[in-house]
Amino acid sequence: MSSIPHHQGPGHAIDDAHAHDEHAHHPGGIMRWITTTNHKDIGTLYLWFSFIMFIAGGCLALTIRTELFHPGLQIVDPEFFNSLTTLHGLIMIFGAIMPAAVGFANWQVPLMIGAPDMAFARMNNWSFWLLPFAAVLLFASFFVPGGAAAGGWTLYAPLSVQAGMGMDLTIFAIHIMGASSIMGSINIITTILNLRAPGMTMMKMPLFVWTWLITAYLLIAVMPVLAGAVTMLLTDRHFGTSFFNAAGGGDPVMFQHIFWFFGHPEVYIMILPSFGIVSTILPAFSRKPLFGYASMVYATSSIAILSFIVWAHHMFTVGMPAAGQLFFMYATMLIAVPTGVKVFNWVTTMWKGSMTFETPMLFAIGFIFLFTMGGFTGLVLAITPVDIQLQDTYYVVAHFHYVLVAGSLFAFFGGVYYWLPKWSGRMYNEKLGEWHFWLTMIFFNVTFFPMHFLGLAGMPRRVPDYATQFTDWNMVATIGAYGFGLSQLLFFYIVLSCIRSGPPAPAKPWEGADTLEWTLPSPLPYHTFETPPAIK
């Protein structure tokens, strides 16, 4: 307060009150979105940004699938095909899945813990606005001499050491997105630890808040590792070092170790917020509390800790000693235990509940079914001798799309349908929502299930051409991919029509919902919980 001149008398308090009134009505126009420090606005920005990136990454995926509809080279040359697979992975992970998860955190964490806003409101704005610039860098890399990065989304050396300037843009974009993630995580941790409403102990927090607290710690631990790896790559490319360049005595496999030490916790960074969303939706539509709340918290923490000791299961074919292979095989299988605890708890939550099947519940159940399948194929890949056969085949592609698309994405769809009435104050069209679920579910399986067969038969991934015996399943997968992509346009229509002209939503549209945000009116006021709620 030292900046206020002392001669302002008692009238100053009145000015202050007026100033606060001004704040209560949100500003209008484009500057509202550029300068906003409101957690709801920033959550909205993150979610729209992630949807745009999802569509952009999806267009790259459809180009890949179109090329693979028939054997032979159809529409793109092999180098550009490699750029497509690389950028598709980077955009979907850093542009679509992670920003969507942060968008949910921005919207829901303050509402669920009874906080007025995020702890560092200005930093919150800054951490979002870094992302569009990073995305522009990634897309711009298609247009520079030598084209975009083409070493796969993992940017393995030596390909990434030798690539053109598109790789430099990619490295810069990853640095910017990493800085954004770290700032967002610091913000989320501080908010959760310091701004909870009185009476909300840690073990009373909704599970979504728990999963994000653990995710934020994971992000702070591993994003600097990725930054280190790509910086070493940059110095190898331009400053004469030889970290990963074998010609100068470096080791390309060291890059894989550093990358996957980041990459495996990153897998859980993308799925833990989804676990939180599903753990919020299931009790609401089963109309009974989540089974085994404490064990869910401990299971989530165990997954996070174990994620640091399994990285080399991505590297069984690099010539690891047998002892290393055994360790990583068993450690990987161990992670199935806390994950199994979660699946058991979700199924038991539904057991004998009076369940209804609105769209959020459909996506949550679809998530459990398909994510569990993805988990089982992960166990298959954890077995070293089996993995050596399946390494770099379409079986791996099938596995990680089952955990990332049917995992993260399905949970996010469910979360949007669940909270949209609270965010917008309007109800979406339930019939269309169910159509979106069934189309997405069917086409997802038509796209990715055949890839298990292709991989078992030996079709390598990241190839623009293939032997004729793989034609049939590739045609099926491509048709599925187009169906899946078009289904997402229906989602876009549902959300837009809900925001613009949906019928008004009640304050609590879901009977079984019991977290704090449902105690507020719909649509949510611009500022909430200016006085903290009382927690029973």
Side-chain angles (χ1 to χ4, degrees), residues 340-362:
V341 168
K342 296 178 102 60
V343 173
F344 174 81
N345 284 7
W346 288 326
V347 174
T348 317
T349 300
M350 295 187 282
W351 179 254
K352 292 194 172 172
S354 59
M355 291 163 66
T356 51
F357 299 97
E358 288 88 344
T359 312
M361 186 62 160
L362 290 175

Side-chain angles (χ1 to χ4, degrees), residues 175-231:
H175 270 302
I176 296 173
M177 287 169 163
S180 163
S181 289
I182 290 171
M183 289 197 286
S185 301
I186 291 170
N187 212 343
I188 287 164
I189 291 172
T190 312
T191 305
I192 295 172
L193 295 184
N194 293 340
L195 298 185
R196 299 195 305 282
M200 178 171 283
T201 59
M202 296 289 276
M203 292 310 273
K204 281 186 190 165
M205 298 193 312
L207 213 75
F208 177 73
V209 179
W210 260 113
T211 53
W212 244 114
L213 179 64
I214 292 164
T215 303
Y217 275 114
L218 277 178
L219 272 165
I220 289 177
V222 301
M223 280 328 256
V225 178
L226 178 65
V230 295
T231 305

Side-chain angles (χ1 to χ4, degrees), residues 278 360 362-364 366-367 370 404-415 437 440-442 444 484:
V278 169
L362 290 175
F363 272 107
F367 164 92
L370 296 176
L404 269 182
V405 181
S408 300
L409 191 65
F410 268 52
F412 293 162
F413 282 147
F437 167 74
T440 301
M441 181 79 168
I442 291 163
F444 168 79
F484 184 82

